[in-house]
């Protein structure tokens, strides 16, 4: 439809007023206020609305007459821009340009009763309900006179003009009873018709300009010298119809708030008469100062703690060179005197470095649990240990036993040494890597604590920023005799203090230390000044403290507000995804640490032995095998299982590196309260 000349003129007026509203704050800044209060204010508004529709849709032939659609009350929303122009201390103009979602959902029972068959002999009434969902969008311009009633309360009233940018509808029918009956589409709801009001029907239905009267009650709450919060409730009564062809009006009840900013000069105290010593005004501002000297226009302290937990299973094997029963140099050996100071809590090296302390870990745990016993089984590889016999297997077991007895003073009767040729589950003997893994001594124990995984926890704290700048803002500083600035913790302890005579300096810098965040609560900054007349004046600000918990995944990804626990499950036998019995302890520990809101990542790996395509599939099978096992007790929010193939995270030139690489890495990220 071609717009009428009158509609064009109204639209041009709305655009002109909108342009004036947008330019007004800039004009206010260009012309500073000369009064004692800030001038023009502007900001944003938002509200929830209750859209009250009254309509007679019977005269609109674009809708099927399947009921009476005449009243609807529907929730909507409103958002826009506010401009506040004060005339006096109690009177002003409040102009608003906003977008209003004025939708209305009409319902009506179907007046035409029909019966349907529910079996071969029974018919029942079919009860349906018709809905008319209308979508109405308005661009609104309100010009409200605002009166200050009492304190922060104000009353506003005035005209409102709205331009409908959309008017569409959708009509549906829904079966209410009997249950189980559907339309031909197989559902209990069907769409009858949908479209725009100004494009359906034979009678033109142009969108009309909405003219209304609005009234509002609100409060003007100062948040700072320039910023104010304005909660408000209001009502708008429409005089004109939504469409030109039939009677349909929409009114609105709204509740929301505006955030408004004051432009113009800040108020300044009047100059005192000549010869009179003015009373000083003391204030100060706080700024975060970055390491490069940059200052931010706010002050807050962030304490970031990066936490991580690694659970490292112990590989209970020690490997030997061909035809040798001597411990390899890579295994950590201690003297008897040094063993007394050993602690596995101090092991912060790599996974393989922790494993290389296997004998010391076992020795320390056997001291801690004096009832525990172990069995050491020596093995040999006939293809490499040429010419040897059963004595080589026994000698390898004896090497392990003798170290625990001589260094850790473990009674020999608590260590049973046995021998065999190949391990019970040998590695692949056709390659050198597999034969190397068969030359070993195996440790087992009836007490699961002896070979339990090693748990390592790390916490790294970072405080940001490194310094906070204190910027005093003093008027009539010549009247100040002395001053003192003090920063106190939430518990009241003094963190930093500066004092002096005369006016305070223009810049003070506080280097934030760990003692500043030792307790909870915000830091309080207080400035106290004493005038030459003996009067004391105060100013006070607070510095909030925000705490973050971070963890880092194995791939380096940083996770906020969650604790990441990482588990290495080893002891997959060569070329198999089956979880060995030895992993049962780790599986139980993982299940006990998972929560329903945890996010679990499972990555399967293989060693370097074998074809790449085969190892890729094997690593995925290992990840899926673990995923199925750990979810048998609790199902976390997200579980991701994937295979990484021959991703060598450990040195595969050593047998322990290959065995640790036949693994599944499990990371559990659990949100922290």
């Amino acid at each position: 439809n071609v717009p009428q000349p009158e509609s064009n003129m109204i639209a041009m007026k709305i655009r002109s007023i909108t342009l004036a509203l947008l330019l007004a704050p800039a004009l206010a800044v260009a012309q500073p206020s000369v009064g004692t209060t800030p001038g023009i204010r502007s900001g944003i508004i938002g509200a929830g609305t209750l859209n009250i529709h009254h309509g007679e849709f019977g005269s609109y032939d674009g809708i099927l007459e399947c009921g009476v659609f005449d009243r609807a009350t529907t929730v909507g929303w409103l958002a826009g821009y506010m401009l506040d122009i004060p005339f006096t201390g109690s009177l002003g103009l409040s102009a608003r340009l906003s977008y209003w979602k004025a939708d209305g959902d009409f319902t009506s029972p179907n007046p035409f009763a029909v019966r349907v068959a529910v079996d071969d002999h029974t018919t029942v009434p079919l009860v349906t309900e018709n809905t008319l969902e209308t979508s109405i969008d308005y661009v609104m311009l309100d010009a409200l006179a605002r009166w200050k009633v009492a304190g922060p309360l104000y009353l506003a009233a005035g005209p409102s003009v709205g331009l409908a940018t959309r008017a569409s509808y959708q009509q549906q029918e829904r079966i209410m009873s009997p249950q189980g009956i559907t339309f031909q589409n197989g559902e209990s709801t069907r769409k009858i018709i949908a479209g725009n009001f100004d494009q359906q029907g034979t009678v033109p239905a142009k969108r009309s300009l909405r003219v209304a009267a609005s009234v509002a009650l609100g409060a003007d709450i100062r948040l700072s010298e320039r910023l104010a919060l304005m909660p408000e409730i209001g009502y708008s009564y429409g005089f004109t119809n939504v469409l030109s062809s039939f009677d349909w009006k929409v009114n609105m009840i709204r509740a929301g708030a505006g955030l408004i900013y004051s432009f113009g000069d800040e108020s300044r105290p009047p100059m005192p008469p000549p010869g009179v010593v003015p009373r000083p005004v003391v204030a100060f501002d706080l700024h975060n100062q970055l390491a490069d000297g940059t200052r931010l226009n706010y002050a807050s302290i962030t304490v970031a703690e990066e936490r991580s937990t690694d659970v490292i299973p112990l590989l209970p094997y020690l490997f030997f060179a061909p035809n040798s029963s001597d411990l390899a140099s890579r295994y950590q050996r201690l003297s008897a005197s040094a063993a007394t100071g050993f602690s596995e809590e101090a092991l912060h090296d790599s996974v393989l470095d922790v494993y290389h302390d296997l004998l010391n870990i076992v020795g320390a745990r056997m001291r801690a649990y004096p009832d525990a016993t172990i069995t050491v089984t020596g093995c040999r590889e006939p293809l490499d240990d040429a010419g040897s016999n059963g004595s080589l297997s026994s000698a390898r077991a004896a090497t392990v036993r003798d170290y625990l007895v001589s260094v850790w003073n473990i009674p020999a009767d608590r260590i049973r040494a046995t021998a065999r040729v190949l391990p019970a589950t040998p590695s692949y003997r056709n390659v050198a890597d597999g034969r190397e893994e068969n030359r070993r001594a195996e440790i087992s124990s009836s007490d699961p604590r002896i070979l339990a995984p090693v748990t390592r926890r790390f916490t790294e704290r970072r405080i940001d920023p490194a310094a906070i700048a204190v910027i005093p803002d003093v008027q009539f500083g010549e009247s100040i005799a002395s001053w003192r600035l003090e920063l106190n913790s939430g518990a009241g302890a003094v963190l930093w203090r500066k004092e002096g005579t005369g006016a305070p300096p223009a810049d003070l810098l506080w280097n934030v230390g760990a003692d500043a965040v030792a307790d909870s609560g915000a830091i309080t900054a207080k400035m106290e000044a004493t005038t030459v007349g003996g009067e004391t004046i105060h100013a006070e600000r607070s510095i909030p403290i925000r705490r973050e918990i971070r963890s880092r995944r194995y791939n380096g990804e940083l996770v906020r507000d969650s604790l990441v626990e990482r588990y290495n499950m080893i002891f997959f036998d060569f070329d198999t995804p089956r979880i060995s019995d030895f992993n049962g302890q780790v599986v139980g520990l993982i299940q006990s640490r998972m929560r329903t809101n945890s996010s679990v990542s499972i990555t399967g790996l293989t060693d370097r032995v074998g074809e790449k395509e085969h190892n890729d599939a094997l690593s995925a099978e290992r990840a899926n095998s673990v995923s199925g096992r750990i979810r048998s007790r609790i199902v976390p929010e997200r579980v991701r299982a994937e295979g990484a193939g021959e991703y060598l995270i450990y040195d595969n030139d050593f047998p322990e590196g290959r065995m640790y690489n036949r693994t599944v890495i499990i990371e559990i990220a659990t949100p922290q309260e």
Side-chain angles (χ1 to χ4, degrees), residues 368-400:
Y369 309 115
D371 295 333
T373 61
I374 64 171
T375 298
V376 183
T377 303
C379 305
R380 58 189 173 90
E381 170 53 68
L383 297 179
D384 290 346
D385 296 323
S388 63
N389 50 32
S391 62
L392 181 60
S393 298
S394 298
R396 288 171 175 170
T399 297
V400 175

Side-chain angles (χ1 to χ4, degrees), residues 300-631:
S300 67
I301 297 174
T302 300
V303 183
E305 288 187 351
E306 186 171 323
R307 302 178 183 177
S308 61
T309 299
D310 280 346
V311 178
I312 304 173
L314 284 178
L315 178 64
Y317 306 151
L318 293 104
F319 300 95
F320 294 86
N323 295 303
S324 174
S325 61
D326 295 332
L327 278 178
S329 60
R330 62 184 181 273
Y331 292 109
Q332 296 293 330
R333 282 167 288 187
L334 302 174
S335 64
S337 59
T340 59
F342 175 82
S343 172
E344 66 180 76
E345 285 76 15
L347 298 176
H348 296 306
D349 296 323
S350 67
V351 170
L352 289 185
D353 286 336
V354 172
Y355 157 77
H356 288 147
D357 260 303
L358 172 64
L359 288 179
N360 298 315
I361 294 172
V362 171
R365 291 178 177 180
M366 291 190 74
R367 274 187 178 179
Y369 309 115
D371 295 333
T373 61
I374 64 171
T375 298
V376 183
T377 303
C379 305
R380 58 189 173 90
E381 170 53 68
L383 297 179
D384 290 346
D385 296 323
S388 63
N389 50 32
S391 62
L392 181 60
S393 298
S394 298
R396 288 171 175 170
T399 297
V400 175
R401 180 197 58 202
D402 293 345
Y403 179 84
L404 294 174
V405 171
S406 61
V407 173
W408 287 94
N409 295 322
I410 306 300
D413 59 359
R414 293 177 58 195
I415 304 172
R416 177 172 173 261
T418 64
R420 58 181 300 150
V421 182
L422 290 169
T425 306
S427 295
Y428 188 51
R429 302 182 64 202
N430 288 348
V431 295
D433 284 350
R435 294 193 299 273
E436 185 182 24
E437 294 171 13
N438 294 331
R439 303 192 305 263
R440 69 194 191 208
E442 302 177 341
I443 301 175
S444 61
S445 176
S446 59
D447 189 334
R449 296 174 295 182
I450 299 301
L451 296 172
V454 174
T455 300
R456 302 188 301 177
R457 293 181 173 86
F458 306 95
T459 299
E460 181 179 344
R461 174 181 286 187
R462 186 172 64 85
I463 301 175
D464 185 51
I468 290 180
V470 183
I471 312 297
D473 183 11
V474 180
Q475 298 178 40
F476 311 125
E478 63 276 8
S479 301
I480 294 178
S482 62
W483 61 273
R484 183 176 64 184
L485 175 67
E486 192 171 277
L487 272 65
N488 297 324
S489 69
V494 178
L495 303 174
W496 188 61
R497 177 183 292 161
K498 288 288 182 179
E499 54 189 356
T501 57
D507 196 318
L508 296 164
L509 192 65
W510 172 49
N511 294 315
V512 182
D515 56 339
V517 294
D519 54 36
S520 59
I523 294 173
T524 302
K526 300 178 181 179
M527 178 170 280
E528 179 182 287
T530 303
T531 68
V532 293
E535 183 182 2
T536 302
I537 53 179
H538 304 270
E540 183 174 314
R541 298 285 299 275
S542 65
I543 305 173
I545 298 177
R546 186 166 61 93
R547 299 181 184 273
E548 291 182 356
I549 297 176
R550 305 173 180 174
S551 290
R552 197 173 297 274
R553 296 187 186 275
Y554 193 83
N555 61 5
E557 177 190 356
L558 196 64
V559 181
R560 297 182 182 275
D561 300 325
S562 294
L563 176 62
V564 174
E565 297 177 294
R566 184 163 40 250
Y567 300 84
N568 294 271
M569 285 186 61
I570 59 171
F571 308 115
F572 282 95
D573 292 330
F574 180 79
D575 198 28
T576 178
R578 186 183 68 85
I579 301 175
S580 65
D581 295 337
F582 193 86
N583 282 308
Q585 188 176 3
V586 179
V587 171
L589 178 61
I590 292 170
Q591 289 174 324
S592 70
R593 297 298 298 171
M594 286 195 310
R595 302 293 182 265
T596 54
N597 63 341
S598 297
S599 174
V600 181
S601 171
I602 305 171
T603 304
L605 305 171
T606 69
D607 60 13
R608 69 186 181 187
V609 180
E611 298 294 331
K612 180 181 184 304
E613 293 77 8
H614 176 76
N615 285 340
D616 288 345
L618 178 61
S619 66
E621 291 175 4
R622 285 174 173 170
N624 292 328
S625 177
V626 172
S627 175
R629 175 73 70 86
I630 66 175
R631 289 197 288 185

